[in-house]
Amino acid sequence: MYFERPLVRAYVDETGDRGLSSRASRYFGMVAVVVADEDDPLLRRAVAECRRRLSVPPRKPLHWTEHVKRFPRRQFVAGQLSVVPGVVLNVVLVEKAAVVQDIPDQVAFYNFVAGNLLRQVLHTADEWPGGRRDLVITFGHVRGFDHAETLAWFEKLRAQDTAEVSWELLRGKPSFVGPGQLDGLQAADQYCGMLRAALEADEYGGFEEHHLMAVRHQIRRPDGFEAIVLPETPAGYRWWLPGGF
């Protein structure tokens, strides 16, 4: 008799742009918020509380850049999300200067990061406390981007990967939807904002890593923060510990 495995859900958003020119962002990254199916209502409740306290209009998604601009608001959101039970974060961060010579275009760049993150999340599902689980994963839709190419890239990875990546845990195809459709994607947007605030210097050359540090315990250990950066980059951030984040 076939018994269906329990489920984890992953919600993925991105930070930075996919551009590869000198005018583009220094970094491009993705954050996946992974939560057991039975704990998903707790994540939605936290997002609802953030929306309520920040007075986000009912039909608008919660956006870090629009609704969480000031430090007190950022501190509040980080505090709400940091205590959601069972949340596991997976992060892939790429410094473009470290890979630009190997990436032909923006589509390939996006797919490379998304594929690395999907593999990470599959490892998370495979090693879930209490036993391995199936995975349903949803990415935030990128306007004007053909996500059929991303799905084709995932299939290519699946065909060439060794048994160390448990692709059989992927339940259905990854989906790509607008952030307003799912609270989990709005949560992922907030985590991306925390990462970006820690990476980008303000007008005085300082960094706002406080919020990322508040949720650091949610990042999967030991390898839930994949950073493809120049060798000297970590030393430029006081929060980036020697040997890795």
Side-chain angles (χ1 to χ4, degrees), residues 69-239:
K69 294 180 179 180
R70 297 187 296 109
F71 186 92
R73 287 178 165 241
R74 294 176 172 186
Q75 194 172 38
F76 171 74
V77 169
Q80 291 294 305
L81 293 176
S82 69
V83 296
V84 178
V87 164
V88 178
L89 302 179
N90 289 265
V91 181
V92 175
L93 176 68
V94 180
E95 186 175 13
K96 296 172 185 176
V99 301
V100 68
Q101 67 278 3
D102 301 317
I103 302 294
D105 54 48
Q106 293 186 27
V107 173
F109 186 33
Y110 176 92
N111 291 342
F112 168 74
V113 176
N116 281 21
L117 188 72
L118 177 55
R119 284 164 159 168
Q120 242 197 65
V121 177
L122 283 167
H123 284 306
T124 299
D126 193 27
E127 300 173 2
W128 196 261
R132 63 205 309 253
R133 293 189 173 216
D134 282 354
L135 168 68
V136 170
I137 186 166
T138 305
F139 290 77
H141 173 70
V142 179
R143 186 179 302 174
F145 193 88
D146 185 3
H147 288 294
E149 295 192 38
T150 306
L151 292 175
W153 175 249
F154 291 162
E155 286 303 313
K156 183 177 180 179
L157 293 179
R158 184 172 192 158
Q160 71 185 30
D161 270 344
T162 63
E164 66 183 30
V165 180
S166 299
W167 286 91
E168 72 275 9
L169 298 180
L170 187 59
R171 189 184 295 182
K173 293 182 179 180
S175 58
F176 300 84
V177 305
Q181 297 182 43
L182 294 173
D183 290 339
L185 288 176
Q186 295 177 60
D189 175 276
Q190 303 309 295
Y191 284 108
C192 282
M194 297 177 209
L195 178 61
R196 188 168 185 171
L199 290 169
E200 294 186 351
D202 61 26
E203 59 189 302
Y204 303 107
F207 298 92
E208 198 172 299
E209 74 273 16
H210 314 72
H211 322 298
L212 184 63
M213 293 300 99
V215 300
R216 183 177 182 177
H217 64 281
Q218 294 177 316
I219 298 175
R220 177 175 174 258
R221 299 299 180 209
D223 52 2
F225 190 97
E226 178 185 357
I228 304 171
V229 298
L230 297 173
E232 64 273 17
T233 292
Y237 298 98
R238 62 185 179 185
W239 53 264

